[in-house]
Short mmCIF file of all heavy atoms in Angstrom, two decimals:
data_model
loop_
_atom_site.label_atom_id
_atom_site.label_comp_id
_atom_site.label_asym_id
_atom_site.label_seq_id
_atom_site.Cartn_x
_atom_site.Cartn_y
_atom_site.Cartn_z
N ASN A 6 50.60 -106.99 203.20
CA ASN A 6 51.11 -105.77 203.81
C ASN A 6 51.41 -104.79 202.70
O ASN A 6 51.57 -105.16 201.54
CB ASN A 6 52.36 -106.07 204.64
CG ASN A 6 53.44 -106.74 203.82
OD1 ASN A 6 54.23 -106.07 203.18
ND2 ASN A 6 53.47 -108.07 203.82
N ASP A 7 51.46 -103.53 203.07
CA ASP A 7 51.67 -102.48 202.07
C ASP A 7 53.06 -101.89 202.31
O ASP A 7 53.24 -101.05 203.20
CB ASP A 7 50.59 -101.41 202.21
CG ASP A 7 50.52 -100.52 200.98
OD1 ASP A 7 51.17 -100.87 199.97
OD2 ASP A 7 49.82 -99.51 201.03
N PRO A 8 54.07 -102.31 201.54
CA PRO A 8 55.43 -101.85 201.80
C PRO A 8 55.62 -100.38 201.43
O PRO A 8 54.97 -99.86 200.53
CB PRO A 8 56.27 -102.75 200.90
CG PRO A 8 55.36 -103.10 199.76
CD PRO A 8 53.98 -103.21 200.38
N THR A 9 56.52 -99.74 202.12
CA THR A 9 56.85 -98.36 201.78
C THR A 9 57.70 -98.34 200.52
O THR A 9 58.38 -99.33 200.21
CB THR A 9 57.63 -97.69 202.91
OG1 THR A 9 58.91 -98.34 203.04
CG2 THR A 9 56.87 -97.77 204.23
N PRO A 10 57.70 -97.24 199.78
CA PRO A 10 58.57 -97.15 198.60
C PRO A 10 60.04 -97.41 198.93
O PRO A 10 60.75 -98.06 198.15
CB PRO A 10 58.34 -95.71 198.12
CG PRO A 10 56.96 -95.38 198.58
CD PRO A 10 56.81 -96.07 199.90
N ASP A 11 60.49 -96.92 200.09
CA ASP A 11 61.89 -97.16 200.47
C ASP A 11 62.15 -98.64 200.70
O ASP A 11 63.22 -99.15 200.32
CB ASP A 11 62.22 -96.37 201.74
CG ASP A 11 62.39 -94.88 201.49
OD1 ASP A 11 62.45 -94.48 200.30
OD2 ASP A 11 62.44 -94.12 202.47
N ALA A 12 61.20 -99.33 201.31
CA ALA A 12 61.37 -100.76 201.56
C ALA A 12 61.40 -101.54 200.25
O ALA A 12 62.18 -102.49 200.09
CB ALA A 12 60.25 -101.27 202.46
N VAL A 13 60.55 -101.13 199.31
CA VAL A 13 60.54 -101.78 197.99
C VAL A 13 61.89 -101.60 197.31
O VAL A 13 62.49 -102.56 196.81
CB VAL A 13 59.41 -101.21 197.11
CG1 VAL A 13 59.53 -101.72 195.68
CG2 VAL A 13 58.05 -101.58 197.69
N GLN A 14 62.37 -100.38 197.27
CA GLN A 14 63.65 -100.12 196.59
C GLN A 14 64.79 -100.85 197.28
O GLN A 14 65.70 -101.38 196.62
CB GLN A 14 63.93 -98.61 196.56
CG GLN A 14 63.05 -97.83 195.59
CD GLN A 14 63.34 -98.16 194.13
OE1 GLN A 14 64.42 -98.62 193.78
NE2 GLN A 14 62.37 -97.90 193.26
N ALA A 15 64.76 -100.88 198.61
CA ALA A 15 65.84 -101.55 199.34
C ALA A 15 65.90 -103.04 199.00
O ALA A 15 66.98 -103.60 198.75
CB ALA A 15 65.66 -101.36 200.84
N LEU A 16 64.73 -103.69 198.96
CA LEU A 16 64.72 -105.11 198.62
C LEU A 16 65.07 -105.30 197.14
O LEU A 16 65.92 -106.13 196.78
CB LEU A 16 63.36 -105.72 198.94
CG LEU A 16 63.27 -107.25 198.87
CD1 LEU A 16 62.11 -107.76 199.74
CD2 LEU A 16 63.08 -107.77 197.44
N HIS A 17 64.40 -104.54 196.29
CA HIS A 17 64.55 -104.71 194.84
C HIS A 17 66.01 -104.57 194.41
O HIS A 17 66.51 -105.36 193.59
CB HIS A 17 63.69 -103.67 194.13
CG HIS A 17 63.65 -103.81 192.64
ND1 HIS A 17 62.89 -104.77 192.00
CD2 HIS A 17 64.28 -103.12 191.65
CE1 HIS A 17 63.05 -104.65 190.69
NE2 HIS A 17 63.90 -103.66 190.46
N ARG A 18 66.70 -103.59 194.95
CA ARG A 18 68.07 -103.32 194.51
C ARG A 18 69.11 -104.16 195.26
O ARG A 18 70.29 -104.09 194.93
CB ARG A 18 68.37 -101.82 194.63
CG ARG A 18 67.56 -101.01 193.62
CD ARG A 18 67.79 -99.52 193.70
NE ARG A 18 66.96 -98.81 192.74
CZ ARG A 18 67.30 -98.54 191.47
NH1 ARG A 18 68.49 -98.91 191.02
NH2 ARG A 18 66.47 -97.89 190.68
N SER A 19 68.67 -104.97 196.20
CA SER A 19 69.61 -105.82 196.94
C SER A 19 69.68 -107.24 196.37
O SER A 19 70.51 -108.04 196.81
CB SER A 19 69.20 -105.90 198.41
OG SER A 19 68.02 -106.68 198.58
N ALA A 53 67.44 -97.47 185.58
CA ALA A 53 66.42 -96.74 186.34
C ALA A 53 65.53 -97.69 187.13
O ALA A 53 65.08 -97.36 188.23
CB ALA A 53 65.57 -95.90 185.39
N GLY A 54 65.28 -98.87 186.58
CA GLY A 54 64.42 -99.85 187.23
C GLY A 54 65.15 -100.83 188.12
O GLY A 54 64.54 -101.80 188.61
N GLN A 308 60.00 -99.60 185.27
CA GLN A 308 58.91 -99.80 186.22
C GLN A 308 59.01 -101.13 186.97
O GLN A 308 58.08 -101.50 187.69
CB GLN A 308 57.57 -99.72 185.49
CG GLN A 308 57.29 -98.36 184.87
CD GLN A 308 55.94 -98.32 184.15
OE1 GLN A 308 55.41 -99.34 183.74
NE2 GLN A 308 55.40 -97.12 184.00
N ALA A 309 60.12 -101.82 186.85
CA ALA A 309 60.26 -103.13 187.48
C ALA A 309 59.99 -103.13 188.99
O ALA A 309 59.42 -104.11 189.50
CB ALA A 309 61.65 -103.71 187.18
N PRO A 310 60.36 -102.09 189.74
CA PRO A 310 60.06 -102.13 191.18
C PRO A 310 58.57 -102.28 191.51
O PRO A 310 58.22 -102.75 192.60
CB PRO A 310 60.61 -100.79 191.69
CG PRO A 310 61.72 -100.46 190.74
CD PRO A 310 61.21 -100.93 189.40
N ASN A 311 57.69 -101.90 190.59
CA ASN A 311 56.25 -102.07 190.84
C ASN A 311 55.89 -103.54 191.02
O ASN A 311 54.97 -103.88 191.78
CB ASN A 311 55.43 -101.48 189.70
CG ASN A 311 55.51 -99.98 189.64
OD1 ASN A 311 55.83 -99.33 190.63
ND2 ASN A 311 55.21 -99.41 188.48
N LEU A 312 56.60 -104.40 190.31
CA LEU A 312 56.34 -105.84 190.43
C LEU A 312 56.83 -106.35 191.79
O LEU A 312 56.13 -107.11 192.47
CB LEU A 312 57.04 -106.58 189.29
CG LEU A 312 56.77 -108.06 189.16
CD1 LEU A 312 55.29 -108.37 189.15
CD2 LEU A 312 57.43 -108.58 187.87
N THR A 313 58.00 -105.90 192.20
CA THR A 313 58.50 -106.27 193.53
C THR A 313 57.55 -105.78 194.62
O THR A 313 57.27 -106.49 195.59
CB THR A 313 59.91 -105.67 193.74
OG1 THR A 313 60.81 -106.27 192.79
CG2 THR A 313 60.42 -105.93 195.14
N ALA A 314 57.02 -104.57 194.45
CA ALA A 314 56.08 -104.02 195.43
C ALA A 314 54.84 -104.90 195.56
O ALA A 314 54.37 -105.18 196.68
CB ALA A 314 55.68 -102.60 195.05
N GLU A 315 54.31 -105.38 194.44
CA GLU A 315 53.12 -106.23 194.48
C GLU A 315 53.43 -107.57 195.13
O GLU A 315 52.61 -108.11 195.89
CB GLU A 315 52.55 -106.43 193.08
CG GLU A 315 51.29 -107.27 193.01
CD GLU A 315 50.08 -106.63 193.70
OE1 GLU A 315 50.10 -105.40 193.95
OE2 GLU A 315 49.11 -107.36 193.99
N MET A 317 55.71 -108.09 197.43
CA MET A 317 55.82 -107.81 198.87
C MET A 317 54.44 -107.60 199.48
O MET A 317 54.16 -108.07 200.59
CB MET A 317 56.70 -106.58 199.08
CG MET A 317 58.15 -106.78 198.68
SD MET A 317 59.12 -105.25 198.74
CE MET A 317 59.23 -104.98 200.52
N ARG A 318 53.59 -106.93 198.76
CA ARG A 318 52.23 -106.65 199.25
C ARG A 318 51.48 -107.96 199.52
O ARG A 318 50.65 -108.03 200.44
CB ARG A 318 51.49 -105.81 198.20
CG ARG A 318 50.21 -105.16 198.66
CD ARG A 318 49.71 -104.18 197.62
NE ARG A 318 50.61 -103.02 197.50
CZ ARG A 318 51.24 -102.67 196.38
NH1 ARG A 318 51.09 -103.38 195.27
NH2 ARG A 318 52.03 -101.61 196.37
#
Side-chain angles (χ1 to χ4, degrees):
N6 56 87
D7 196 10
T9 66
D11 286 349
V13 171
Q14 288 292 337
L16 190 156
H17 185 78
R18 292 179 182 271
S19 71
Q308 297 180 337
N311 291 339
L312 186 51
T313 296
E315 182 65 18
M317 294 172 71
R318 194 171 293 120

